[in-house]
Amino acid sequence: MDLVERGEEFSIMHNMLGSCEAGHGGVLLVSGAVASGKTALLRAFGERATAAGALYLQATASAAESDLPLGVMGQLLLGADPLGVDTRRAARIVDLMAESDPSGRTRGVRHGVPMGEIPELCSIVLEKARERPVLLSIDDVHHADSHSLECLLYLSRRLDVSRILVVLGENNGFLAGNTRLRVDLLRLPGCRNIRLGPLQRHGVAEMISGFGGPGWRTRKLVSDVHRIGGGSPLLTRALIEDHRATLAADGTSAELVPGESFVQAVATGLYRSDPATRRTAWALAVAGPEVTLAELGEALGSSRESLHRSLRALNEAGLLDAGWFRHEAGRTAVLRSMDPADRARLEARVARVLHEHGAAATVVVQHLIAAETVEAPWALRTLIEAAERALADDEVELALTCLRVARDTCSDPRQALEIRAALTRAGWRVNPAAVDQHLPELGAAALEGRLGARDTGELVGHLLWFGRFDRALDVLKAAERHGVVACGKTAAGGPRGHDCPRRWLTYAYPGLPASARTCLGVTPEHAQAAEHAPSLERSPHQRAACLMRAVLDGAGDDVVVRAEQILQSTRLDDRTLTALLVALHSLVLADRLDAAAFWCETLFNEAAERRAPMWQALLASAKARIELRAGSLVAADASARSALALVPAEGWGVAVASPIATAVFTRTVLGRIDEAAAQLSVPVPDAAFQTPDGLLYLRARGHYYLAAGRPYAALDDFLTCGDLMTRWEFDLPALVPWRTDAAQAHLRLGDAARARALAEEQLALVGPGGTAARAVSLRVLAGTLVAGRRAALLGEAVEILRERGHRLELAVATDELARTQRELGKVGQARSLARKAQQLAGECGIPVPRVAPTEGAGSLAAERPWPPGTRRNPVELSNAELRVATLAVRGHTNRQIADKLCITVSTVEQHLTRAYRKLDVQRRADLAAKLSPLLGPGGGEGPASHDDCDRLHVV
């Protein structure tokens, strides 16, 4: 048998065997930590002694048989065939002594035991020694029964004149239940004690060479195995086996990763150790690296001396280094070796001890979570305190776990209500859908006045989030009636400048009745004073409300200053997120896209770093809106998708309208009509249309309808936006330019006069400033005029949009200006502008079709001449005639065309008749040749367009 780093010890044993053969017996005590290689050494020596002609008698003591009289001697004598007739003699003596101690609980030599039989039993061995040398090998002698120990001592005192060698293997980590054996043996002249130490690096390298694969003996692997295994042969062999399994799994030279073999080896070593040592390992693994010796000893209920002895044994066993685990895998393996019920009890004891020693709540709570139920009052307080601390530190999962344990152990109704409110607060940061279950009970408590000011305010916010406006208003009225929430005043015991929920409703939910948005018991003077109070004395929500008021009043530069003040002075958290989003959107409405993008990216990265999915989702939605305005369509679509991936649609409540609106709009502009339609199938709560996000959804859906050839449906959505915004006194063309949107629908329907009126109305509303809303108004108005009057308006629009950074609108306006210049005969300017428009469209991500250039014809839409019979001038075919003719070419019947365009069959026939006359054709089949340049790419179901870039006109 191969032995590693045990040559010196084996040489000592061999020399003692030689002395034994010469007639001078002896005793060799082999001590070492658990699994240090004692058993392997004893067995190898037994094989050597047998080969030398000695009688080899061996036994292994066991804790389970430590109370069995002469259990070890029975193994030595009764299992040896060479003893012959002496075996029956030995059996008789063993049986006699067992009968004299029927209890089987011997811990010493009991009264009544026939001690006179011990000499007779030992004489069997002495007689055999006269024939040939005898080797008595007993492993784990610390578990030997007391009767067998008496026999060993009897023999040991007679070894100097006999050929008997006694070799004993002992785990030096055990308390000496056999102290007398050690004392009596070690004072004998023929007794020696050798201690097996841990393997050194070269010993580990030798084991890797012997049990590992070719090329394994690298400096790094040897170092890692020695560091993790601590020189324990058992752990070293397990690590080699785990490394072999890792290599077999991935086939590469992977890092050393302790696995199942290591776990089993640790468990084996623990259960072969002294019970006190095993319990110390468990307690240390449970308590963690910061535990003190005093705390550990108190949790174990053991003395300082016993604790030191156990820690020393674990260090020698290779599991610990300087009192802590060499590798986290060792700690994990120790925890896995525990019975779950035992661990739960130990966790509870450790939690109690740490609490009594003043440990932080976040430390104690780790044990309370894993412990059996602790019903002491301090445990509940600790769980709640730790949850608040964890939430402040962005450890949301820990906070939720603490609160769930607290909820399950709490018996006080009032405290249980506070815990449920805290669960709602923490859960919303991950997914609001998960907190919906708590709202009914909290709502009932709020109506009875049993909820505090902070929890009531948050409850109102959650109810509004899910569109339960009536319930939210009932809670608000009850809170005001009970004095829990007072507009513009500080709640009892609450922070200075408590928010007024009703004032916030004016801007966040403008669709609510005016009575719901009126602050009860607050005079106009109070409201004005709050409005003009120093900004540092106002909460973020109050400052955001003032900011929205400035936006509605058209304050211009003041909006930018107020928004950046909020963004620079407000830390992101649950209570300030809404205010920060308002500031971002205000910058967007003020056409400060660069600043909005910077702050949004900064806040989004912070939310990701702090692991708050709901924060990330809301900021991703805001990011998508900014990217859409800036013309980064692909990025906007990705951000909208990310928002809905971070939090499922059912968790968004009424706010789901925002990311869906962006996704629908971007996919429509990109020409992915089917994907836009799929987004429209996502349910949006009716309550969403009482919020600004609902307006964005209606606008996006309207442009989808416009692109899909349904101008009447589009017009209905645009006009609905206008009705709502007018009724709410929320008419912001910078948010939703519904007049120009409706004007585009009217143009599609051939009503240029109504389109012109709407565009002029919006132009008057936005005023003379250089805003994007003014540029859009100019562009749409230009589309209702003849070419000679269009150029100046489009030129001004292009300049404004270039300055403001609205690339998508800039691409549209530049394209229309190029076509206008073409109509005016300015071919050079038209060609340059057309190329610029195509470049801008490409930067926005819009797939603009290209036509292969022919001799004398450009490749751009504005550069190509119109074929005969297919002129694009509206005097040839009106929009309505072109739509009907295009659908006819695609194979639709007159009835299908009428249904699709929401007109009568008679109107369809009239349009077709005029189209036949203008295009000089006699039948429907001839239309295809005349209209083919006007059809969308691939002849798909998209609407007929006047040029290849017409999909730009959805904005």
Side-chain angles (χ1 to χ4, degrees):
M1 179 180 296
D2 294 332
L3 296 174
V4 177
E5 280 192 8
R6 299 297 181 241
E8 183 178 347
E9 291 83 355
F10 199 78
S11 176
I12 292 172
M13 299 171 80
H14 182 71
N15 291 337
M16 292 188 71
L17 179 60
S19 297
C20 176
E21 291 173 344
H24 301 287
V27 178
L28 178 63
L29 185 61
V30 181
S31 302
V34 63
S36 57
K38 299 183 298 296
T39 300
L41 182 62
L42 264 60
R43 289 178 179 172
F45 183 58
E47 293 175 1
R48 175 67 62 86
T50 301
L55 175 61
Y56 176 47
L57 304 178
Q58 70 89 25
T60 301
S62 168
E65 298 180 0
S66 60
D67 291 337
L68 180 63
L70 293 179
V72 171
M73 291 302 293
Q75 288 187 58
L76 288 172
L77 301 178
L78 302 183
D81 290 338
L83 290 180
V85 294
D86 288 330
T87 302
R88 292 191 296 272
R89 177 181 164 198
R92 180 183 63 78
I93 299 172
V94 170
D95 290 343
L96 176 63
M97 296 189 71
E99 290 173 2
S100 67
D101 188 15
S103 67
R105 297 291 179 187
T106 306
R107 278 298 176 191
V109 181
R110 295 173 55 126
H111 297 292
V113 174
M115 293 301 297
E117 301 294 340
I118 290 180
E120 183 177 353
L121 189 63
C122 293
S123 65
I124 298 174
V125 180
L126 292 169
E127 290 171 5
K128 286 295 179 182
R130 296 190 186 99
E131 301 173 6
R132 55 174 171 163
V134 175
L135 172 62
L136 299 181
S137 176
I138 303 174
D139 199 7
D140 291 339
V141 72
H142 47 276
H143 289 311
D145 61 278
S146 58
H147 294 90
S148 297
L149 293 178
E150 289 296 331
C151 292
L152 289 176
L153 288 171
Y154 181 89
L155 286 171
S156 300
R157 288 190 290 267
R158 292 158 176 79
L159 293 182
D160 56 341
V161 292
S162 64
R163 293 193 298 171
I164 299 175
L165 177 60
V166 179
V167 179
L168 307 175
E170 177 193 51
N171 182 347
N172 55 23
F174 272 74
L175 277 174
N178 49 13
T179 305
R180 181 179 166 220
L181 175 70
R182 290 180 59 87
V183 171
D184 288 352
L185 286 180
L186 294 177
R187 66 184 180 85
L188 296 175
C191 180
R192 295 195 63 175
N193 182 201
I194 59 176
R195 293 178 61 87
L196 302 184
L199 299 178
Q200 301 303 311
R201 287 173 61 92
H202 61 82
V204 171
E206 187 177 341
M207 284 194 70
I208 291 175
S209 298
F211 299 110
W216 280 26
R217 191 170 173 170
T218 64
R219 180 175 298 178
K220 185 177 187 310
L221 183 60
V222 171
S223 177
D224 288 345
V225 172
H226 185 262
R227 175 177 52 85
I228 297 174
S232 164
L234 177 67
L235 299 182
T236 299
R237 179 68 180 271
L239 289 169
I240 294 171
E241 292 174 358
D242 284 332
H243 192 60
R244 187 191 308 279
T246 301
L247 292 177
D250 59 24
T252 61
S253 182
E255 294 288 326
L256 178 64
V257 179
E260 269 314 301
S261 295
F262 184 77
V263 171
Q264 293 299 324
V266 170
T268 299
L270 284 178
Y271 280 95
R272 288 173 58 186
S273 298
D274 176 63
T277 302
R278 183 164 59 248
R279 288 193 297 269
T280 300
W282 287 342
L284 186 64
V286 164
E290 302 301 324
V291 69
T292 66
L293 287 179
E295 292 166 344
L296 192 62
E298 191 172 338
L300 286 167
S302 61
S303 66
R304 191 177 186 87
E305 293 74 16
S306 174
L307 184 61
H308 277 292
R309 183 190 57 78
S310 296
L311 290 173
R312 185 168 55 251
L314 292 169
N315 275 279
E316 293 174 352
L319 193 57
L320 305 185
D321 181 22
W324 184 244
F325 294 93
R326 290 178 168 271
H327 192 276
E328 189 61 26
R331 182 186 184 189
T332 302
V334 170
L335 292 173
R336 284 183 57 180
S337 71
M338 298 182 69
D339 178 78
D342 290 339
R343 179 176 177 182
R345 286 190 291 271
L346 182 56
E347 294 276 11
R349 288 201 304 274
V350 170
R352 175 184 57 78
V353 170
L354 292 177
H355 170 73
E356 291 174 352
H357 283 255
T362 51
V363 174
V364 177
V365 81
Q366 299 286 353
H367 304 288
L368 287 176
I369 291 171
E372 60 187 5
T373 301
V374 180
E375 297 181 351
W378 65 264
L380 190 59
R381 290 195 304 270
T382 301
L383 286 165
I384 296 173
E385 179 186 346
E388 294 175 352
R389 183 68 262 168
L391 197 59
D393 292 339
D394 302 314
E395 298 287 347
V396 182
E397 289 302 325
L398 175 58
L400 288 170
T401 302
C402 292
L403 291 169
R404 291 185 187 114
V405 175
R407 177 197 59 193
D408 295 340
T409 58
C410 181
S411 57
D412 177 31
R414 185 175 185 82
Q415 202 166 28
L417 198 61
E418 295 175 0
I419 292 171
R420 192 172 292 275
L423 270 170
T424 304
R425 187 181 312 123
W428 188 91
R429 199 183 291 189
V430 179
N431 183 1
V435 310
D436 191 35
Q437 58 182 313
H438 304 300
L439 300 186
E441 185 174 339
L442 292 174
L447 292 176
E448 298 171 3
R450 294 187 289 114
L451 214 57
R454 176 188 180 186
D455 294 337
T456 299
E458 289 176 348
L459 174 61
V460 170
H462 294 318
L463 291 171
L464 291 172
W465 177 268
F466 287 110
R468 297 168 194 165
F469 298 141
D470 292 340
R471 186 67 165 175
L473 294 175
D474 289 342
V475 168
L476 201 50
K477 291 175 185 176
E480 292 166 348
R481 189 169 58 252
H482 291 102
V484 175
V485 173
C487 290
K489 300 177 183 178
T490 300
R496 185 166 181 264
H498 181 69
D499 291 339
C500 171
R502 289 186 186 274
R503 187 178 297 125
W504 180 247
L505 294 181
T506 302
Y507 310 109
Y509 301 90
L512 293 179
S515 60
R517 296 181 273 120
T518 302
C519 300
L520 302 182
V522 177
T523 66
E525 291 77 11
H526 286 155
Q528 187 175 11
E531 184 88 5
H532 296 286
S535 61
L536 292 178
E537 296 184 6
R538 289 178 284 158
S539 72
H541 272 188
Q542 290 173 326
R543 287 189 286 160
C546 294
L547 173 59
M548 283 305 303
R549 181 73 265 166
V551 170
L552 291 172
D553 292 343
D557 292 339
D558 187 47
V559 168
V560 177
V561 172
R562 288 173 181 253
E564 294 201 325
Q565 282 178 345
I566 292 174
L567 290 165
Q568 291 176 16
S569 62
T570 305
R571 183 180 186 271
L572 176 62
D573 61 35
D574 293 318
R575 303 189 71 184
T576 62
L577 176 61
T578 302
L580 290 168
L581 288 170
V582 168
L584 286 175
H585 295 320
S586 298
L587 289 176
V588 173
L589 296 179
D591 291 331
R592 296 295 297 272
L593 299 184
D594 289 345
F598 167 77
W599 283 110
C600 190
E601 186 72 21
T602 300
L603 291 169
F604 180 83
N605 291 338
E606 181 180 350
E609 184 179 336
R610 295 170 63 183
R611 304 182 299 281
M614 192 67 244
W615 297 357
Q616 290 176 255
L618 286 168
L619 289 164
S621 179
K623 187 167 177 279
R625 287 166 66 171
I626 296 169
E627 290 164 340
L628 175 59
R629 293 263 180 149
S632 301
L633 299 181
V634 176
D637 185 49
S639 294
R641 284 200 312 270
S642 172
L644 292 169
L646 284 163
V647 175
E650 57 270 18
W652 276 84
V654 297
V656 73
S658 177
I660 291 179
T662 305
V664 170
F665 207 110
T666 54
R667 293 174 192 186
T668 299
V669 177
L670 291 169
R672 289 147 49 182
I673 302 298
D674 291 342
E675 294 181 27
Q679 283 297 310
L680 288 172
S681 66
V682 178
V684 174
D686 292 339
F689 300 100
Q690 305 295 321
T691 71
D693 289 341
L695 300 174
L696 296 174
Y697 182 90
L698 287 172
R699 184 184 186 228
R701 190 174 68 182
H703 281 292
Y704 160 78
Y705 287 149
L706 207 58
R710 299 171 60 184
Y712 287 103
L715 183 60
D716 183 62
D717 274 348
F718 297 145
L719 294 178
T720 300
C721 279
D723 291 341
L724 292 175
M725 296 176 79
T726 303
R727 190 189 320 149
W728 298 348
E729 300 179 356
F730 213 83
D731 199 351
L732 285 173
L735 176 67
V736 174
W738 65 269
R739 292 175 182 84
T740 49
D741 290 339
Q744 292 179 79
H746 280 299
L747 283 174
R748 289 290 182 94
L749 293 170
D751 191 349
R754 181 58 184 151
R756 185 180 305 113
L758 285 168
E760 289 174 343
E761 183 181 340
Q762 181 165 299
L763 191 60
L765 181 62
V766 299
T771 64
R774 175 177 175 80
V776 173
S777 303
L778 290 170
R779 177 182 64 77
V780 176
L781 177 60
T784 68
L785 304 174
V786 296
R789 299 179 58 191
R790 289 203 300 265
L793 299 180
L794 290 171
E796 182 182 351
V798 166
E799 289 302 318
I800 293 173
L801 293 169
R802 184 181 295 116
E803 180 182 350
R804 293 297 183 179
H806 288 248
R807 278 187 305 174
L808 180 58
E809 273 292 350
L810 179 60
V812 176
T814 304
D815 175 68
E816 293 189 0
L817 182 57
R819 289 190 287 114
T820 297
Q821 298 290 10
R822 175 71 180 179
E823 289 183 39
L824 294 174
K826 299 178 180 180
V827 179
Q829 292 184 31
R831 182 180 295 111
S832 175
L833 288 168
R835 286 178 178 148
K836 183 61 177 176
Q838 193 171 66
Q839 177 187 343
L840 288 168
E843 291 174 359
C844 292
I846 300 173
V848 180
R850 292 179 177 270
V851 178
T854 59
E855 187 176 354
S859 62
L860 300 174
E863 297 177 27
R864 295 195 299 271
W866 294 316
T870 60
R871 292 187 62 203
R872 303 184 182 195
N873 195 316
V875 300
E876 292 296 332
L877 282 186
S878 69
N879 284 339
E881 292 164 354
L882 182 58
R883 279 193 299 276
V884 170
T886 301
L887 292 173
V889 168
R890 289 172 178 161
H892 293 76
T893 65
N894 288 358
R895 169 62 63 186
Q896 290 171 332
I897 296 172
D899 292 341
K900 193 174 185 69
L901 299 180
C902 302
I903 57 179
T904 64
V905 175
S906 175
T907 302
V908 172
E909 293 170 348
Q910 293 174 27
H911 287 324
L912 282 175
T913 299
R914 288 193 291 269
Y916 291 165
R917 184 176 65 251
K918 291 179 180 181
L919 297 175
D920 193 23
V921 298
Q922 301 297 320
R923 54 186 179 176
R924 185 177 296 221
D926 297 333
L927 285 173
K930 299 286 186 177
L931 295 180
S932 57
L934 303 178
L935 296 178
E941 288 292 325
S945 59
H946 285 300
D947 63 270
D948 293 333
C949 296
D950 201 44
R951 66 166 56 95
L952 294 174
H953 291 78
V954 300
V955 296

